[in-house]
Amino acid sequence: MIEQKPKTALVIVDVQEGMFGLPGMGPVQRDELLNNIHTLIERARHSNCTIIYIQHQGTGDQPLAKTSPGYAIAHEIAPWSGDKIVSKTECGMFHKTKLDNVLSALDLRRLFICGMQTEFCVDTAVRTAVDHGYEVIVASGAHATFDTDELSAGTVAKHHETVWRQAFGQVLNVSDISFP
């Protein structure tokens, strides 16, 4: 009997226009991040892999408010017809969203995760996906954050990748990722 791999989705967390111009936050390596995510999207499409965009919905005058231009998914990686979009209002992509229902309906059990911000919504996505029983693979080079007064964005990414590798799943370079 041939062992079948679980059905897979590429999950893109909060890669929205407003994430690239947050007040008081330094620049993110936009081109590198979006090129890497675009590469993953092309591979996923070629393999007929489900693509799910998680879109944070802020309120009022927040940069990701639904009524602001920042709410839009980054135009370089915009969804196609048939891609899934799940809106969220909190850090967690499962919290008060339809994501579990979408994944269950499609019998998806393995999630490749990428997006913004490493230490907030991406980390929460990784941890809660595992808590919900999903196999998780994080795309190194396809998640990003900002420098802080204490740590560089690169240090934050390396730290989180170490934690994810140790306790939550795999971390693979974009160049090593292929979709079943």
Side-chain angles (χ1 to χ4, degrees):
M1 178 185 273
I2 298 173
E3 181 181 334
Q4 291 197 357
K5 292 184 177 182
K7 290 177 87 177
T8 301
L10 172 61
V11 180
I12 304 163
V13 179
D14 297 353
V15 184
Q16 296 166 246
E17 293 294 344
M19 292 299 290
F20 299 102
L22 290 173
M25 304 303 276
V28 168
Q29 300 295 327
R30 180 183 178 121
D31 292 343
E32 180 181 353
L33 174 70
L34 293 175
N35 286 338
N36 284 337
I37 293 173
H38 188 265
T39 296
L40 293 173
I41 290 169
E42 285 182 337
R43 290 181 192 157
R45 289 197 200 293
H46 182 73
S47 299
N48 294 316
C49 178
T50 300
I51 299 172
I52 301 172
Y53 291 83
I54 307 299
Q55 190 173 24
H56 188 84
Q57 181 178 331
T59 59
D61 62 352
Q62 294 176 340
L64 302 181
K66 193 169 186 174
T67 57
S68 77
Y71 180 70
I73 293 168
H75 66 275
E76 296 93 336
I77 59 161
W80 286 9
S81 175
D83 292 342
K84 309 296 182 200
I85 300 173
V86 175
S87 181
K88 68 179 182 64
T89 58
E90 306 292 336
C91 197
M93 66 183 187
F94 290 97
H95 183 72
K96 297 182 182 177
T97 72
K98 63 180 182 178
L99 182 59
D100 242 346
N101 292 336
V102 169
L103 296 170
S104 293
L106 297 171
D107 194 30
L108 298 166
R109 301 303 314 156
R110 174 186 290 144
L111 307 179
F112 284 83
I113 297 176
C114 60
M116 296 271 311
Q117 270 181 267
T118 301
E119 73 277 32
F120 291 109
C121 296
V122 174
D123 184 54
T124 303
V126 169
R127 292 168 185 255
T128 58
V130 171
D131 287 347
H132 283 246
Y134 297 96
E135 178 185 346
V136 171
I137 300 98
V138 179
S140 180
H143 63 89
T145 192
F146 307 97
D147 290 340
T148 67
D149 291 341
E150 294 81 23
L151 297 170
S152 70
T155 300
V156 172
K158 285 179 187 175
H159 167 76
H160 279 78
E161 288 181 1
T162 298
V163 172
W164 295 332
R165 227 182 256 110
Q166 290 174 347
F168 296 99
Q170 295 180 334
V171 178
L172 298 175
N173 292 321
V174 169
S175 59
D176 296 329
I177 292 175
S178 61
F179 296 94

